[in-house]
């Protein structure tokens, strides 16, 4: 299967349009049509409905394979290039928003130790971090996610990146303080302060209003899998990376979110997530490192934990 044809197919499926995919890829529309026809001939089945442009059942199955296949090809190309190219003059770093502080805290010392190295830092989604490191766009990165206490993050089953666990902490349910679920579950004696609620399980929350904030909060697909329920659905979607905006949305009652304890300010209620037992984990990831500054940063991150 020609990877160029596969990339064209993914672009058309994502854009829902041959012309839009042609613009995105820098091809003519006729070239895109030829690529799709050639791929359908190769696989012996239609992959796209034409009006409207949507994947056929066979196309849906191919899309499931396409992302990991193309990522693996990009990773292989980048890994080979790293063995034959000189060390970069710019150290390209990346981080998902909640994993950025672990990286940023060491940059001042890195600049003092390697004054001739230019440093760039990109804050992006977890998926973009992994894809960027695999493709060689980023030399080194930190990313975050949720996992069982003894498990690593599931970054990708199709690429071989070096990963190092850095930190983990408890997860909490972030709610407005006036939310019914933030109130104590038992009465408190007179003249005493109520105890905070001891905890919540995902089973308590399947019908709650959720904010889907894929760059910041625990991903809803992961929570659905952990809860064994498809009822965890977004009532509000926030695609940004600013944590304070997410706090404001939660405080305004647009929905709740599962976050690491350190990411919830005092003006919100932070109720421990007691079941299932999951943690927020931060990991370092990179390919082969040849640049001394990159090696030093990776060592410092690993030793700082």
């Amino acid at each position: 299967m020609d990877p160029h044809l596969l990339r064209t197919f993914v672009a058309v499926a994502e854009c829902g349009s041959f012309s839009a995919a042609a613009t995105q890829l820098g091809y003519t529309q006729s070239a895109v049509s030829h690529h799709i026809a050639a791929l359908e001939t190769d696989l012996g089945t239609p992959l796209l409905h034409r009006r409207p442009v949507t994947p056929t059942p066979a196309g849906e199955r191919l899309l499931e394979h396409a992302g990991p296949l193309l990522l693996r090809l990009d990773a292989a190309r980048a890994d080979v290039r790293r063995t034959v190219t000189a060390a970069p003059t710019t150290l390209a770093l990346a981080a998902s928003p909640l994993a950025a502080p672990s990286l940023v805290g060491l940059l001042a010392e890195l600049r003092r130790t390697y004054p001739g190295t230019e440093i760039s830092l990109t804050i992006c989604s977890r998926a973009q971090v992994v894809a960027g490191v695999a493709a060689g766009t980023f030399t080194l990165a930190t990313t975050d996610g949720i996992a069982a206490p003894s498990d690593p993050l599931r970054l990708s089953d199709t690429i071989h990146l070096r990963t190092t666990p850095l930190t983990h902490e408890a997860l909490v349910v972030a709610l407005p303080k006036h939310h019914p679920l933030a109130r104590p579950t038992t009465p408190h004696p007179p003249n005493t302060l109520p105890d905070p609620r001891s905890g919540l399980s995902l089973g308590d929350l399947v019908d709650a209003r959720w904010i889907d904030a894929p760059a910041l909060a625990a991903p809803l697909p992961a929570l659905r899998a952990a809860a064994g329920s498809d009822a965890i659905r977004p009532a509000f979607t926030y695609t940004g990376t600013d944590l304070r905006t997410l706090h404001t949305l939660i405080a305004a009652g647009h929905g709740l979110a599962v976050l690491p304890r350190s990411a919830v300010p005092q003006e919100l209620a932070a109720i421990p997530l007691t079941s299932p037992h999951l943690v927020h984990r931060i990991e370092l990831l990179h390919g082969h490192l040849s640049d001394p500054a990159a090696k030093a940063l990776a060592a410092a991150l690993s030793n700082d934990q």
Side-chain angles (χ1 to χ4, degrees):
M1 186 185 305
D2 188 328
H4 296 293
L5 305 184
L6 189 59
R7 289 186 193 278
T8 301
F9 166 69
V10 171
V12 173
E14 290 179 345
C15 293
S17 163
F18 280 67
S19 59
T23 300
Q24 177 181 301
L25 297 170
Y27 297 157
T28 64
Q29 186 169 336
S30 61
V32 168
S33 298
H34 176 76
H35 284 190
I36 299 301
L39 186 60
E40 290 177 329
T41 298
D42 180 27
L43 294 177
T45 184
L47 299 172
L48 293 167
H49 299 294
R50 269 33 178 200
R51 293 184 180 179
V53 177
T54 57
T56 65
E60 292 282 3
R61 294 296 295 274
L62 182 58
L63 281 173
E64 294 176 9
H65 295 282
L69 284 171
L70 294 174
L71 186 59
R72 186 65 184 269
L73 287 171
D74 288 340
R77 183 180 295 108
D79 207 31
V80 171
R81 285 176 176 171
R82 278 191 286 263
T83 67
V84 297
T85 57
T89 57
T90 298
L91 183 57
L93 309 176
S96 57
L98 295 186
S102 60
L103 190 61
V104 170
L106 296 172
L107 294 186
E109 180 60 29
L110 184 73
R111 293 181 64 190
R112 285 193 293 269
T113 307
Y114 297 92
T117 300
E118 297 181 11
I119 300 172
S120 70
L121 174 62
T122 300
I123 306 299
C124 53
S125 72
R126 296 156 177 144
Q128 289 170 327
V129 166
V130 175
V133 174
T137 304
F138 307 129
T139 306
L140 179 150
T142 53
T143 191
D144 73 296
I146 64 171
S150 59
D151 291 345
L153 296 180
R154 292 194 63 184
L155 299 177
S156 177
D157 296 329
T158 61
I159 54 176
H160 301 289
L161 294 176
R162 294 166 175 82
T163 61
T164 304
L166 299 181
T167 65
H168 68 272
E169 66 172 303
L171 288 167
V172 298
V173 182
L175 300 160
K177 286 193 172 181
H178 58 77
H179 194 286
L181 290 174
R183 298 170 187 165
T185 56
T186 57
H188 59 283
N191 303 318
T192 64
L193 294 174
D195 293 327
R197 184 160 183 159
S198 59
L200 290 166
S201 73
L202 282 181
D204 298 324
L205 303 168
V206 291
D207 295 323
R209 290 176 57 85
W210 288 88
I211 295 178
D212 184 17
L216 296 166
L220 295 194
L223 295 181
R224 285 194 289 270
S229 172
D230 288 333
I232 298 176
R233 294 290 171 183
F236 192 98
T237 299
Y238 172 58
T239 58
T241 59
D242 182 69
L243 190 57
R244 287 178 295 181
T245 300
L246 178 59
H247 294 158
T248 301
L249 291 170
I250 295 171
H254 292 290
L256 55 84
V258 171
L259 293 165
R261 180 64 187 87
S262 61
V264 181
Q266 292 184 347
E267 58 265 27
L268 294 176
I271 313 300
L273 182 67
T274 55
S275 177
H277 190 191
L278 301 170
V279 296
H280 177 260
R281 189 177 300 282
I282 295 177
E283 292 187 2
L284 165 70
L285 62 154
H286 57 81
H288 173 74
L289 297 178
S290 58
D291 178 67
K295 289 182 178 180
L297 180 57
L301 281 163
S302 300
N303 296 332
D304 193 48
Q305 309 308 320

